[in-house]
Amino acid sequence: MLWLWGLTVHINFKLLISGVLLSLSQQAFAQVNIFTCEPEYAALAEELAPDARIYSATTAMQDPHLVQARPSLIAKMRQADLVVCAGAELEIGWLPMLQMKAANAQVRSTDKGLFFAAEHVDTLDKMANVDRSMGDVHSLGNPHLHFSPERMLLIAKALTKKLVQLDAEQTEAYQQRLQSFSKRWQAASSKWQEVASQLKGMKVIAYHSSFRYLFDFVSIEQVADLEPKPGLPPTSTHLASLLKRAKQGDISAIVVASYQDLRGANWLAEKSSLPVIVLPLSVGGNEQSSDLFSLYDNVLDLLIQEYNAQKLLAL
Amino acid sequence: MKNMKFSPTRLSAKVSAALAMSALIPVLAQAQTPTLSNPTVSAILDGYYQSENRLMAERTEGFGLGETELAFSASIDDMFYGKLTTVFESHDGTSEVNVEEAFIQTMALPNGFTVRAGRFLSDIGYLNNQHLHTDSFTSRPSAYRAFLGGHYYDDGLRLSYIAPTDLYWSMGVEAFSGDSLRAADEHGEREFDSTGVYTAFTKFGGDIGIESSWQLGFSYLRNENGQLTPEEHDEDEHEEEHVEDEHAHSHSASYTGKNTYVADFVFKWAPNGNYKYQHLTLSAEYFRVSDFMVPELHDEHEEEDHHDEEGHAEGNSKDYHQAWYVSGVYQFSPNWSAGLRYGELDSQLQHEEHFDAQELKETELSIAWHNSHFSTVRLEFSHQSNVGFDNDLSDNAITLQYVMALGAHGAHQF
């Protein structure tokens, strides 16, 4: 019996060794470690590199401007092969500190494992002269890019290029993923375009310029902002001026993102009897928005429902 | 992001401005990125009025300027980052300019190692490596004022390492000249070690769910020049000098010892992990500074202690000072925050050949108004009670302070 026992031990040992080796090699070669600043880029990475280990520093319930350079984020960035962020100074209040503390040279330069989405597309609202009295504005343009289908496709292409640069062995797999994503994205885009035509001419009051690209894409006009100046919370005098504006009667809704405070919006809604629409800022901003596709579907749904209801009321 | 108000006149002005500037945009955009020829420049303005003097405090009675700083920083090349911070202060009609930071740091060492050299803030404790303008109170806790001269920066070298683990784990060692932490030397005859201070520290941290984060740190500081200077004392002279020390503004530690141990803990919470509207910061630190008695003094002292065991109930053979504080700060809206802090200091003051126990208890309540992320006006009430400090300082003080940031303001630490 003893020799039999010896054999099993031997076999198991061999199995164990090969198992360890396999997982080691997977760690070393197969799994790219991706750190994203915002959930929309985690979702995009999920589409383009589903085998990667992906971590998002923020959720759709958090203001991406104001993030703590907290220990967990430093630890994650320390291990990252690729860092994907919106750029255009959106993360200027926390990303440099993470880079400094994480001591990971791989993700410090865009030549290597750092990727800024805004560098690969044209941003809206670039400003030549920025002054703090204007509020929290970025000279490099609006960084909330992810509601522009066209731009997201360009970003997907650039990100694939970056993945190929970092992980050349899997070039083919990345190209295939991009192809599949592009096909589905373009099909969805033309569907969204069609749906969005119902929204043309809609006027809203919104909080911050979080949905600048969405409104640009679906031809909604943001006639006023709940913030008196970008980054500053609504004040009572500012809300009073918004109420005056709302009473002109051409505005259909107040739009707020999932992380934004509802108090100002609710006050205005009550006084002006306008509906408040809470849109998910990004993937995970509500139950329905589980990936980039369902995020767009859901956001358009919410807008159309409210707009149609308003039109019915008007009749 | 720009403000979206489309009044026609404004729009056309904007369009023409945009056209005129469009040729300049690439140049400007490039100039925005900090480079060697265009470093990040930031200034902090800090002014205050304080109703009373406080023990060992950076701020004095009346109007004054706190840490008004001008900082330049940039990546020097792909390997090095550099920063220069000069600080201007004015108290009681005297002004001073100090270079508080002038360091280089490696950016591309492999495996999580970083070296920093020059003048910089030591990484011991929680608050020490944070700049004063990020504090939620007008002065540092008594532990920092007594043992580190407010905040400890010095000329030296640091090697730090961060582990590649999901649990944040960093550690480091530092060596400093240690001039500001030298024990008092009345006659200027003592030969101090030129490299006087060595530190070692480690920090752990992580998240609890999506709403909470924490960090725990342990530090040790070895001060070769921290033991008291052995000498015979003329009590009157000594007394005079010490009282003067307590009043004067100084960056030197009031109490030193050979070994300093620090434990620190920070906990932060925000609803949904969203720091925009509300968040809470709880922190606590404990300092123990020990082994300040020189051997012969120690023996004498113990002897003496035995002699008047009965007469001197408070007679004190402790060879350590200690201090701790706990603080809680809550931001209840983007515009308003409030903080409460309580701290105790327990120190020994040398009187000829024996030591008298001193105790300082401080409570601070601060309320701050933030017009934006870059401007703060703060009102603070502090209450202190002390035993053993020969001082007629009032128990209560009110401080009104502003702290504002100009220019490219750097990211904050956790």
Side-chain angles (χ1 to χ4, degrees), chain B residues 252-295:
Chain B
S252 296
S254 307
Y255 301 91
T256 60
K258 197 169 186 181
N259 298 304
T260 301
Y261 308 88
V262 189
D264 61 88
F265 182 73
V266 196
F267 173 87
K268 294 193 185 187
W269 173 87
N272 285 319
N274 181 14
Y275 280 79
K276 168 111 180 161
Y277 301 101
Q278 287 95 27
H279 60 86
L280 174 73
T281 302
L282 299 175
S283 60
E285 287 188 80
Y286 170 77
F287 280 69
R288 186 184 173 105
V289 178
S290 69
D291 307 302
F292 50 81
M293 293 184 193
V294 256

Side-chain angles (χ1 to χ4, degrees), chain A residues 189-225:
Chain A
S189 294
S190 38
K191 183 189 80 191
W192 293 326
Q193 195 94 56
E194 213 179 287
V195 174
S197 62
Q198 302 173 52
L199 291 168
K200 199 167 179 189
M202 181 181 184
K203 287 182 183 175
V204 298
I205 291 174
Y207 195 134
H208 196 64
S209 47
S210 306
F211 297 108
R212 175 75 174 93
Y213 293 90
L214 174 71
F215 297 159
D216 181 60
F217 165 59
V218 301
S219 305
I220 287 178
E221 190 185 337
Q222 179 175 350
V223 294
D225 196 320

